[in-house]
Amino acid sequence: MEMDEVYYTGSSTVTFNGSVETPNIRGPRAEPLKIEAPTTSIHMHAEEEIRIYAPAGDMTISTLKEIQLRSKDSIILDSSKLYIKNLKVSTVSGKQSRPGYQLCMCSTGLLFIADADKECQGTREICS
């Protein structure tokens, strides 16, 4: 079955069994678009690129486990501010002479923070 456009104006959700192929998914005006798979996963594939655009608001991705970003070339985060919350803190004895922290990385790739004037020492507890 081939159609140019499908409109749904009901108040309940629409469920598709199998895959959906479309060039655009758009939410209603002044309401959020919600795409979810409560018991499985969502896969998006494209030959060239996938664009997610929110010109008038935020975008939230939440998951029970992990979010994976993979690229054969680059992953670029372009923002005037970047926040990484709830990182583990390495505490090395001694008084902190400079305020602030430095961003450190374990050999496993796990990030943590340490005092700005101390060495980045990732303990087994921090890096596991």
Side-chain angles (χ1 to χ4, degrees):
M1 177 169 81
E2 189 174 313
M3 294 184 204
D4 287 335
E5 293 185 21
V6 175
Y7 290 95
Y8 175 73
T9 58
S11 60
S12 60
T13 59
V14 175
T15 304
F16 294 97
N17 292 321
S19 26
V20 175
E21 186 175 326
T22 180
N24 292 304
I25 299 174
R26 212 173 295 134
R29 290 190 184 272
E31 291 182 38
L33 170 65
K34 188 175 185 181
I35 300 172
E36 63 179 4
T39 59
T40 60
S41 58
I42 295 173
H43 297 270
M44 293 190 289
H45 302 275
E47 290 296 320
E48 292 185 25
E49 65 184 5
I50 295 174
R51 291 182 183 217
I52 301 173
Y53 184 60
D58 297 334
M59 182 181 79
T60 302
I61 299 172
S62 15
T63 178
L64 178 64
K65 293 189 178 178
E66 52 185 48
I67 295 172
Q68 297 180 18
L69 302 174
R70 290 191 185 123
S71 173
K72 290 183 179 178
D73 188 6
S74 303
I75 296 176
I76 300 167
L77 302 175
D78 183 3
S79 177
S80 61
K81 296 178 184 176
L82 177 64
Y83 297 95
I84 303 175
K85 298 181 178 183
N86 302 316
L87 291 177
K88 293 180 180 178
V89 180
S90 173
T91 53
V92 178
S93 60
K95 187 177 178 187
Q96 183 178 4
S97 60
R98 285 189 350 211
Y101 294 98
Q102 60 181 317
L103 184 62
C104 307
M105 184 169 58
C106 302
S107 60
T108 60
L110 189 66
L111 299 176
F112 66 96
I113 55 176
D115 291 340
D117 58 346
K118 303 285 192 255
E119 189 176 324
C120 278
Q121 291 183 338
T123 63
R124 187 177 310 185
E125 181 182 300
I126 286 178
C127 291
S128 59

